[in-house]
Amino acid sequence: MNAPDRYERFVVPEGVKKVSYERDTKIMNAATFTVEREDHTIGNIVRMQLHRDDNVLFAGYKLPHPLQYKILLRIQTTSQSSPMQAYNQAINDLDKELDHLKSQFEGELAKHTRDY
Amino acid sequence: MEGVSYQRFPKIKVREVKDDFMKFELRDTDASIANALRRIMIAEVPTIAIDLVEIEVNSSVLNDEFISHRLGLVPLTSERAMSMRFSRDCDACDGDGQCEYCSVEFYLRVKCLSDQTLDVTSKDLLSSDHTVVPVDYSDASSSFDNTPNKGIIIVKLRRGQELRLRAIARKGIGKDHAKWSPAATVTFMYEPEIYINEDMMESLTLEEKTELVESSPTKVFGIDPENKQVTGKCMIVGNPSAPPGIPLCGSRWPNMIWDYASGEIPCLFFEKVIVVDPEAYTYDDEVLKKAEAMGKPGVVEIHAKEDSFIFTVETTGAVKASQLVLNAIEVLKQKLDAVRLSDDTVEADDQFGELGAHMRGG
């Protein structure tokens, strides 16, 4: 009867920020990003992309609790970069990768349907 | 300020495409991308499914909820879903989900008048939109069985029973309810790389080889039929200067034993163990354990290529398999776009940065 709505799992509530950012108070160039209503799908690809960045010293994510629909992404970088810069770069690279993937797939599909 | 790009350029090779099935190879990327695509295909690519049912008359043996649930699970053709709106953020209607941008209306009116049981099926659902209809599972290729295809059975009626209802189908995703999942199965596996150490393999007897081949629960290995054991006499074509009794490596038959004792040259071809189907391997390690038990560890080596994946995608028929993959890529792009930092977050941090520097005395 008092079950929360199912869409609460993936719709960001009003007044809540999708991504919030909090600097680490003790470590230089370290920060935690809180991403609302996301899970391993986004967390893991962003983390792995960050690992490809030479300026990233640490990148990790966690899903704190299965009923808290958010992930925490922690990044520490060298002084050449910043967590925010690394985060933006990772997303841009992933976006370009997916663009490439899409055109590859469409090309292959066209080749395959022509062969019929 | 812009950093260097660490972008990858993955490759795709399509192996097989059918309407509701496809198989392809994904290369030059990592498991996180493969798994993200899989997760999205299962739970986040939108489709259309019946979400609200108003029952007018129901004198069937099944109760209203039971029928509503069954109706929800009927796959509907959902090519339109990507461009449709979710009824919760549709501003053309006041959230009742009855406008053309976010919903499709269905009617079902059946009454049994004969003594024979009447099957109410998905084909009795009348749609208000011809692009959104129950998926037709009649297979044109199997015309030999002459049972008329009647769709998915919803309920059976006996004489005098009636079912009359109005249903509203909406756009949704599998994360919300599995009825909205377009995927029947989506799997990926690492491409295996299997090496056979030929020299070590030849030190095994035929029995041992057969044993090794058969230790794998799936048919990964086989014995090359072209290299069946033959003993006899033949002429050597190449390398006559090789010392006797030593296999002629590099010749056409590397396992041929050359013996000068007789005037002619007897030779022996051994069975060759070959990899029949590397993808049948289920990473069960049975062959490796067998090799170990036989005292020949390393006769077979198997690695998973960490950057190559073989995907199989099967859909419910709501969208084509190829379209499902494309939609998944599109959904993932939208998700990435949504997690970009907003300008006010960046601004707030810039101020914080100055403040922080100030506080540190810089």
Side-chain angles (χ1 to χ4, degrees):
Chain A
M1 290 304 251
N2 59 354
D5 289 319
R6 284 195 312 246
Y7 63 76
E8 278 194 18
R9 237 189 286 185
F10 48 87
V11 178
V12 184
E14 243 169 277
V16 175
K17 261 187 173 173
K18 179 80 180 172
V19 190
S20 48
Y21 168 92
E22 199 186 341
R23 276 188 189 219
D24 194 288
T25 50
K26 295 198 176 104
I27 305 165
M28 276 289 281
N29 285 314
T32 306
F33 295 80
T34 308
V35 188
E36 280 294 333
R37 312 291 127 142
E38 290 298 343
D39 57 13
H40 301 285
T41 309
I42 286 295
N44 198 30
I45 55 169
V46 175
R47 175 184 71 115
M48 292 311 279
Q49 188 65 39
L50 284 163
H51 284 172
R52 294 172 59 79
D53 191 331
D54 296 329
N55 287 321
V56 170
L57 299 175
F58 178 86
Y61 82 98
K62 68 175 173 183
L63 191 80
H65 190 278
L67 293 175
Q68 286 175 358
Y69 309 111
K70 64 176 181 192
I71 53 167
L72 304 180
L73 181 71
R74 221 178 124 67
I75 305 173
Q76 187 191 351
T77 66
T78 61
S79 51
Q80 265 78 56
S81 184
S82 72
M84 215 178 247
Q85 196 189 333
Y87 181 82
N88 288 334
Q89 183 67 41
I91 288 174
N92 287 339
D93 286 343
L94 283 169
D95 196 51
K96 279 186 275 174
E97 177 171 343
L98 288 171
D99 277 331
H100 177 80
L101 199 64
K102 193 174 183 186
S103 63
Q104 279 275 312
F105 191 83
E106 280 167 346
E108 266 289 309
L109 208 62
K111 231 192 287 171
H112 227 78
T113 38
R114 223 184 306 131
D115 291 345
Y116 263 117
Chain B
M1 194 61 187
E2 262 312 285
V4 243
S5 176
Y6 297 96
Q7 194 204 339
R8 279 171 298 206
F9 295 93
K11 287 188 180 62
I12 280 188
K13 192 167 165 242
V14 173
R15 285 208 189 149
E16 201 184 337
V17 209
K18 284 193 206 128
D19 272 0
D20 58 359
F21 175 84
M22 89 175 290
K23 204 166 185 172
F24 64 93
E25 295 163 11
L26 174 67
R27 292 179 197 282
D28 300 339
T29 187
D30 69 2
S32 68
I33 295 285
N35 196 39
L37 285 176
R38 183 192 65 84
R39 286 174 64 98
I40 286 177
M41 282 190 245
I42 292 168
E44 299 194 52
V45 170
T47 64
I48 302 162
I50 290 174
D51 196 33
L52 191 97
V53 182
E54 274 173 21
I55 295 190
E56 270 177 62
V57 180
N58 174 19
S59 50
S60 76
V61 291
L62 300 185
N63 59 47
D64 296 0
E65 296 80 345
F66 202 125
I67 290 174
S68 310
H69 181 236
R70 289 182 68 74
L71 286 168
L73 297 174
V74 172
L76 306 174
T77 52
S78 307
E79 277 79 22
R80 253 190 75 191
M82 282 299 272
S83 55
M84 247 169 100
R85 292 183 195 159
F86 285 108
S87 62
R88 62 172 173 273
D89 41 43
C90 175
D91 41 21
C93 60
D94 46 343
D96 59 356
Q98 292 173 33
C99 75
E100 55 174 328
Y101 302 109
C102 68
S103 61
V104 180
E105 215 174 9
F106 285 86
Y107 282 96
L108 185 76
R109 297 187 194 92
V110 237
K111 187 170 187 180
C112 180
L113 298 167
S114 69
D115 274 336
Q116 215 178 4
T117 316
L118 178 72
D119 291 350
V120 181
T121 73
S122 58
K123 293 213 164 164
D124 295 312
L125 278 167
L126 302 174
S127 172
S128 64
D129 180 344
H130 67 96
T131 60
V132 182
V133 291
V135 174
D136 185 6
Y137 289 104
S138 61
D139 189 1
S141 61
S142 65
S143 50
F144 57 87
D145 73 302
N146 45 13
T147 45
N149 191 291
K150 294 198 68 190
I152 301 161
I153 295 178
I154 294 160
V155 66
K156 291 183 179 186
L157 302 179
R158 64 167 288 174
R159 189 185 183 97
Q161 290 178 339
E162 189 182 7
L163 183 61
R164 230 169 39 221
L165 56 87
R166 189 175 81 102
I168 290 168
R170 293 179 179 145
K171 173 182 174 173
I173 59 172
K175 227 182 196 181
D176 192 341
H177 190 291
K179 70 183 174 187
W180 277 300
S181 177
T185 48
V186 182
T187 64
F188 71 85
M189 73 179 281
Y190 287 109
E191 184 173 78
E193 261 184 329
I194 305 178
Y195 299 104
I196 295 175
N197 185 328
E198 302 279 356
D199 290 345
M200 217 186 250
M201 189 61 88
E202 288 323 325
S203 66
L204 301 180
T205 63
L206 174 57
E207 286 71 34
E208 284 176 316
K209 283 182 193 168
T210 331
E211 223 181 300
L212 192 71
V213 164
E214 282 168 6
S215 69
S216 177
T218 49
K219 193 147 179 52
V220 179
F221 302 95
I223 286 181
D224 192 350
E226 310 229 320
N227 260 316
K228 274 273 142 69
Q229 183 163 8
V230 184
T231 21
K233 288 164 185 158
C234 67
M235 292 298 292
I236 286 180
V237 186
N239 202 1
S241 58
I246 287 175
L248 294 179
C249 292
S251 73
R252 205 174 138 211
W253 301 292
N255 309 311
M256 192 157 69
I257 309 287
W258 183 18
D259 187 8
Y260 270 126
S262 59
E264 288 161 309
I265 304 155
C267 44
L268 187 61
F269 304 103
F270 292 100
E271 288 80 4
K272 211 175 159 214
V273 175
I274 53 164
V275 179
V276 181
D277 180 10
E279 277 159 40
Y281 187 58
T282 55
Y283 292 96
D284 46 52
D285 280 3
E286 289 297 325
V287 195
L288 306 178
K289 279 183 209 154
K290 188 72 187 178
E292 192 104 10
M294 286 175 11
K296 299 277 178 188
V299 68
V300 175
E301 274 182 53
I302 304 175
H303 304 285
K305 282 176 85 178
E306 305 243 316
D307 64 346
S308 299
F309 309 94
I310 299 154
F311 267 85
T312 51
V313 177
E314 273 182 78
T315 74
T316 58
V319 287
K320 283 186 176 173
S322 53
Q323 193 59 47
L324 175 56
V325 181
L326 284 171
N327 289 357
I329 297 173
E330 194 50 47
V331 170
L332 185 51
K333 270 168 65 73
Q334 287 166 8
K335 279 174 82 78
L336 276 173
D337 223 36
V339 298
R340 279 178 198 279
L341 288 165
S342 55
D343 290 338
D344 55 326
T345 315
V346 181
E347 247 167 63
D349 182 59
D350 284 345
Q351 282 163 11
F352 180 85
E354 278 164 35
L355 188 70
H358 180 71
M359 268 162 32
R360 279 192 295 272

